[in-house]
Amino acid sequence: MSFRRRLLLIMLAVMAVAQLVAAIATLGTIHRDIMQKGGRELEVGLGVMRQLLDERGKQLRNSVGILTSDFGFKSAIASLDLNTLASVLANQGERVGADMALLAAPDGTIVASSHHAPGTPMPFPRLWQQVRQSGEATGVVLQDQRPYQFVMLPVRAPNLIGWVGMGFLLDTPLAEEIAQLTRLQVSFLVSDAEPASGASGERAAGYVAGALAQAPPEAVSALRVDLTRGDYLHHSGVDARLDALVLASPLMVSGITPGAGQGKVPGQGQGQVYAVVEHPRADLLVVFQALGWRLATIFALTLALTALVAAFSARGMSQPLIQLARVAQRIGRGERVTEVPTGSGGEIGLLGRTLVAMQNDIETRERQQRHQTRHDQLTALANRHSAQQDIAEAVAAGQPFTLLRLSIYGFRHINDTFGYAVGDQALRQLAKRLASCPAPVHHAYRLGGDEFLLLVDSAAVDARWLASLREGLARPIELDHSPLRLQLVYGEVNFPEHGREAPLLLRRAEIAMAMAKQQRLGYLRYVEGQDEKRLREMTLVRDLQLAAERGQLSMVYQPKIAAADGALVELEALMRWQHPEFGFIPPDEFITLAESAGLMSQLTGWMLTTVCRQLAAWEAEEGLCLAVAVNLSAQDVIDPALPQQLAQVLATHGLEPARLGLEVTESAIMSDPETSRRVLADLSQRGASTAIDDFGTGYSSLAQLKRLAVRQLKIDKSFILKLEQQSDDRIIVHSTIELGHNLGLEVVAEGVETEAARALLVELGCDYLQGYGISRPLPAAAVVGWIAAYTPGVRQPLRATPESTP
């Protein structure tokens, strides 16, 4: 099939589909608008009906109010003149056009009524409940399955002597009156009965009675039926074709509500009354049907005219388009085209020129993309990919060079404090300074985040040049008229001394920079062996995640005794890790790694579970009711979930909170004082006791100390080990003991290894002692034996235990 014929068929198909879609969309829109208009008319009609009912209710209330204020009527009630009361009710009801009237005693017993026997209880419980609560009531009630708009008011002389109620029947005349006002078909419907009234009530019942009968009244706010889909209702045997829009709205019914053991009162209906308005479908869709024929005629004429125009257009367009297609194929193959021989002006010529312009734009965009792949978008510096390529080329050239890797110390704090916009501006300003660095700097790069790299054409950087560089880069940066001084950390590697591959040099530069940041040094040159340390740390972090599951972690327990009489008061639980490759790993090392890797919560959970399980085992198997203190890290003490976690573990093992003490270092508390204070207060309220560990080595203030919910201070062992030899240590320990006691805290000395230190601590008034002079940390299996052999008040010999490493 030729291009011209395909073009003709495509144009005809497109036009036919477009016309058909437009016609369907137009008819659908018009149909929805007609239905929506009909729905709005129903809502307006329903609103008019409600307003008319409200006005009738007000008139009825005024009429009843006049009757309740009549002196003669009150006298007749007071004298219980039943004949007079019945006559007055009938006359007043006839005067106001009421269809029902009743008089009830204060307790709700019927005295006189047009529809109820004297002496019977109030027939409308919900209305009666409302009138007793509010003093008056207005609502719709059912009597003999017929709805009435009913008003009830009190009669006072001056005290309450009775209740008067009157009601209008919601009947055919009222429905016809509303229908004349709204030009809609109106009816009133009782959900479980025949149509109450109205010219179209029987048909309305056929539409909605079944659906309403199946739903509780409180669940039905309005029923809308869209007849355009030709749906059917199948409820309670109803199978009627929907030929009208119907809107039914419930009216508040105050009739009998059956309860347990309550029968139905004869003549009093049970159900829901609905006001129903209808709009015939045929009236709504007359305009729609006429418009449909017109659109069909227009569609046929348009399609015929389009076929003629398309035939002529396809003939004139096919040849230039074929030429343009060939040119596009050449451009797609990468050939450069300078001119398009279409031989035509207008849009075809414009399309040819556009193809040439597109070819040029593609070349420009490719150059930009090549530039973007090698440069950072924020700072316009060369990126990591470019750095790797340039370093590889420099290595291949064999000339010695130096890499300086830079990072901004505390850059995350800058973003959090001043916002990311300020942080980006600071990065751009720093990048400008790096790009303008004089020789021997060869090139500057941004590796990502706050990390940059300088390629220096020298075997090693000169100390004076480096100092000048650091001074220049540390100059304050003006950001929104406010100076910001950046603290930079540098790591240096040299080629070929530190490696002969670009990835290795970059990694070692990163290691040197990370070590400088970790040690809070401004600059550090790579030293052989730092790779092994970093590799060891990565291995430990990896293995620490599974250390508990593999049985590599264990807990040891060091006794704590009372200084006065030597009685055992508590054990301190200490975590130990025996690595299968590296052997014993000191707690300080793996705890630090766990905190940096986010594994602390996992270790804390394992520790709490293990210690509580051991406490429960000692009590169940040995009859020992011991208390154990555990150490919390900085991440633990700022975790709001810790108190709940601790409570769950204790409850699981049936332990009281006092059985588990908590020890927290000063530095851990001061990392986030406010959060730490809240967590410690929560722990204290739950019954846990807390001690500040290693007191004297941190930087907590007395103002913070007095606000913390702690019970003990533990003097760091560095002040205890040479207590009897160093007078300065004795002064510090003495002052700390007095400070703790003045604050109402108990004081614990750890690191007690000699009898002289023990005696001196007792003399200084220390409360508790802990250290190798009392006992080394013991495995759980050795604790019971130690307790059995321990004699309070008698110094135990310093002896080895199954744990060889403290």
Side-chain angles (χ1 to χ4, degrees):
M1 185 181 294
S2 65
F3 172 75
R4 182 184 306 173
R5 184 171 297 178
R6 288 199 305 270
L7 180 61
L8 177 60
L9 293 177
I10 290 173
M11 292 178 66
L12 290 177
V14 169
M15 180 57 65
V17 171
Q19 289 287 336
L20 185 59
V21 170
I24 294 175
T26 302
L27 290 175
T29 301
I30 294 174
H31 188 276
R32 285 193 301 271
D33 289 344
I34 291 174
M35 292 298 103
Q36 291 173 0
K37 178 182 178 183
R40 289 192 294 270
E41 291 178 358
L42 291 179
E43 293 175 354
V44 171
L46 196 58
V48 171
M49 177 187 295
R50 287 187 173 276
Q51 290 180 2
L52 182 57
L53 292 178
D54 290 342
E55 290 299 326
R56 285 166 56 91
K58 292 178 181 178
Q59 294 175 7
L60 184 59
R61 186 192 181 286
N62 293 335
S63 300
V64 177
I66 294 173
L67 179 60
T68 58
S69 302
D70 184 74
F71 178 76
F73 184 64
K74 294 180 180 180
S75 299
I77 295 175
S79 61
L80 291 178
D81 188 349
L82 299 181
N83 293 331
T84 302
L85 291 175
S87 176
V88 171
L89 284 176
N91 293 336
Q92 183 68 11
E94 183 178 358
R95 185 179 303 112
V96 301
D99 299 294
M100 181 191 296
L102 64 82
L103 170 64
D107 61 356
T109 304
I110 299 297
V111 177
S113 173
S114 60
H115 288 70
H116 310 91
T120 59
M122 176 63 65
F124 313 120
R126 277 189 280 181
L127 185 72
W128 174 238
Q129 182 180 6
Q130 180 183 357
V131 78
R132 285 190 298 172
Q133 292 177 350
S134 305
E136 62 179 64
T138 301
V140 176
V141 300
L142 288 175
Q143 179 66 35
D144 299 326
Q145 294 302 121
R146 303 179 70 189
Y148 292 80
Q149 186 177 10
F150 203 81
V151 172
M152 180 170 284
L153 296 176
V155 182
R156 303 184 184 276
N159 297 325
L160 178 68
I161 62 175
W163 301 92
V164 175
M166 290 188 179
F168 291 128
L169 178 64
L170 302 180
D171 54 1
T172 299
L174 175 60
E176 291 176 350
E177 179 182 352
I178 298 173
Q180 290 178 359
L181 291 175
T182 60
R183 297 182 181 179
L184 299 170
Q185 296 177 0
V186 179
S187 60
F188 297 103
L189 177 68
V190 178
S191 61
D192 61 348
E194 293 301 321
S197 59
S200 59
E202 183 176 356
R203 186 169 59 257
Y207 295 141
V208 299
L212 298 178
Q214 298 298 319
E218 61 272 14
V220 181
S221 60
L223 173 67
R224 299 175 181 273
V225 184
D226 183 359
L227 5 142
T228 60
R229 300 179 306 208
D231 294 339
Y232 287 85
L233 285 177
H234 299 281
H235 297 283
S236 301
V238 177
D239 188 7
R241 183 73 185 188
L242 302 179
D243 60 353
L245 284 182
V246 180
L247 178 60
S249 178
L251 303 177
M252 182 180 68
V253 175
S254 300
I256 293 293
T257 303
Q262 179 182 352
K264 180 175 179 180
V265 179
Q268 296 171 0
Q270 304 175 29
Q272 176 67 56
V273 178
Y274 294 87
V276 181
V277 290
E278 303 175 61
H279 204 315
R281 177 184 180 185
D283 295 346
L284 290 171
L285 299 181
V286 170
V287 177
F288 174 77
Q289 294 172 352
L291 184 59
W293 285 109
R294 293 178 185 175
L295 287 177
T297 302
I298 295 173
F299 172 73
L301 294 177
T302 304
L303 188 61
L305 181 60
T306 302
L308 294 176
V309 174
F312 287 102
S313 299
R315 182 178 180 181
M317 293 174 58
S318 58
Q319 190 62 34
L321 287 177
I322 292 174
Q323 294 179 354
L324 289 176
R326 293 171 180 170
V327 170
Q329 291 174 353
R330 293 174 57 193
I331 294 176
R333 291 193 296 267
E335 300 181 16
R336 180 164 182 79
V337 178
T338 58
E339 184 178 358
V340 180
T342 60
S344 174
E347 288 77 5
I348 299 298
L350 176 61
L351 182 58
R353 294 189 296 273
T354 302
L355 284 175
V356 176
M358 181 184 69
Q359 173 185 250
N360 298 330
D361 291 341
I362 291 175
E363 293 178 352
T364 303
R365 186 165 61 252
E366 288 177 348
R367 287 194 298 269
Q368 293 175 348
Q369 290 176 349
R370 286 193 296 270
H371 181 271
Q372 291 176 356
T373 57
R374 293 181 57 87
H375 290 79
D376 177 61
Q377 295 184 4
L378 178 64
T379 62
L381 291 179
N383 58 15
R384 179 186 294 270
H385 177 68
S386 180
Q388 291 175 339
Q389 290 185 346
D390 291 350
I391 295 172
E393 293 175 359
V395 169
Q399 294 295 326
F401 62 87
T402 296
L403 296 180
L404 282 178
R405 190 158 181 162
L406 297 77
S407 176
I408 302 175
Y409 187 79
F411 182 70
R412 180 177 180 181
H413 178 69
I414 295 176
N415 281 335
D416 294 341
T417 304
F418 302 103
Y420 288 95
V422 173
D424 291 344
Q425 190 175 354
L427 293 176
R428 285 192 290 267
Q429 293 291 339
L430 178 61
K432 290 181 180 179
R433 293 183 180 181
L434 293 174
S436 60
C437 287
V441 174
H442 178 74
H443 216 306
Y445 310 87
R446 184 193 179 198
L447 302 182
D450 63 329
E451 293 189 12
F452 296 85
L453 182 72
L454 291 178
L455 176 60
V456 183
D457 290 333
S458 62
V461 296
D462 179 72
R464 288 180 297 178
W465 178 85
L466 179 61
S468 175
L469 174 68
R470 296 177 61 184
E471 181 180 358
L473 296 179
R475 286 184 290 108
I477 295 175
E478 292 293 333
L479 299 176
D480 296 333
H481 307 291
S482 298
L484 177 65
R485 186 182 296 273
L486 301 179
Q487 298 183 12
L488 301 179
V489 180
Y490 299 77
E492 177 187 347
V493 295
N494 310 115
F495 170 80
E497 180 179 356
H498 296 141
R500 295 179 175 274
E501 296 179 356
L504 178 62
L505 291 171
L506 281 173
R507 180 166 62 85
R508 290 184 169 178
E510 181 183 9
I511 292 174
M513 182 189 69
M515 295 292 293
K517 182 180 293 187
Q518 181 179 355
Q519 300 176 16
R520 293 186 176 274
L521 301 174
Y523 161 81
L524 192 64
R525 185 171 180 265
Y526 175 79
V527 177
E528 291 293 339
Q530 289 179 341
D531 276 15
E532 289 74 10
K533 181 180 180 181
R534 188 65 177 270
L535 182 61
R536 169 188 166 91
E537 291 178 350
M538 293 173 61
T539 303
L540 290 178
V541 169
R542 181 199 64 197
D543 295 345
L544 187 57
Q545 302 179 47
L546 300 176
E549 298 180 10
R550 295 171 177 173
Q552 300 171 7
L553 296 180
S554 62
M555 299 299 300
V556 295
Y557 302 87
Q558 187 173 30
K560 181 195 303 182
I561 65 172
D565 56 8
L568 176 65
V569 294
E570 195 176 50
L571 301 170
E572 180 180 0
L574 304 170
M575 190 180 299
R576 296 293 184 256
W577 184 16
Q578 191 69 25
H579 193 275
E581 178 181 354
F582 301 117
F584 176 77
I585 308 299
D588 291 345
E589 181 179 0
F590 73 79
I591 291 298
T592 301
L593 293 176
E595 289 180 336
S596 63
L599 302 175
M600 204 59 236
S601 60
Q602 177 181 339
L603 290 184
T604 301
W606 177 87
M607 175 187 66
L608 293 176
T609 301
T610 302
V611 170
C612 289
R613 183 169 55 244
Q614 185 61 60
L615 282 172
W618 280 330
E619 184 173 1
E621 299 171 4
E622 306 293 340
L624 296 175
C625 185
L626 302 176
V628 174
V630 297
N631 292 276
L632 300 180
S633 70
Q635 294 181 7
D636 294 328
V637 81
I638 61 174
D639 183 5
L642 177 64
Q644 182 62 32
Q645 179 186 10
L646 182 61
Q648 291 178 352
V649 175
L650 290 171
T652 301
H653 295 87
L655 301 175
E656 295 294 329
R659 300 279 299 278
L660 194 66
L662 307 173
E663 296 187 2
V664 187
T665 62
E666 286 183 272
S667 57
I669 294 175
M670 296 310 296
S671 64
D672 189 344
E674 287 302 319
T675 303
S676 300
R677 183 180 62 82
R678 290 194 297 269
V679 173
L680 292 179
D682 192 355
L683 291 169
S684 177
Q685 291 176 358
R686 295 174 182 264
S689 62
T690 308
I692 297 182
D693 198 10
D694 299 339
F695 185 77
T697 61
Y699 49 91
S700 61
S701 65
L702 295 180
Q704 289 289 347
L705 182 61
K706 70 179 183 178
R707 298 174 58 198
L708 297 174
V710 297
R711 193 190 71 181
Q712 292 182 350
L713 294 181
K714 294 192 69 174
I715 304 175
D716 186 70
K717 63 182 179 182
S718 61
F719 301 108
I720 306 298
L721 292 176
K722 297 183 179 180
L723 181 64
E724 65 273 21
Q725 303 173 12
Q726 300 288 344
S727 60
D728 291 343
D729 288 347
R730 288 197 297 273
I731 294 173
I732 293 174
V733 171
H734 186 204
S735 301
T736 303
I737 294 173
E738 289 188 347
L739 171 64
H741 288 166
N742 290 335
L743 291 176
L745 304 177
E746 299 173 339
V747 181
V748 182
E750 55 183 357
V752 179
E753 297 188 356
T754 65
E755 183 63 28
R758 177 175 180 174
L760 187 56
L761 287 168
V762 172
E763 180 183 346
L764 294 176
C766 186
D767 298 296
Y768 304 110
L769 306 176
Q770 182 180 354
Y772 285 4
I774 299 163
S775 173
R776 291 179 179 270
L778 303 167
V783 170
V784 177
W786 184 89
I787 294 176
Y790 176 70
T791 303
V794 178
R795 179 172 181 258
Q796 305 298 309
L798 186 62
R799 57 186 183 275
T801 66
E803 184 201 30
S804 59
T805 306

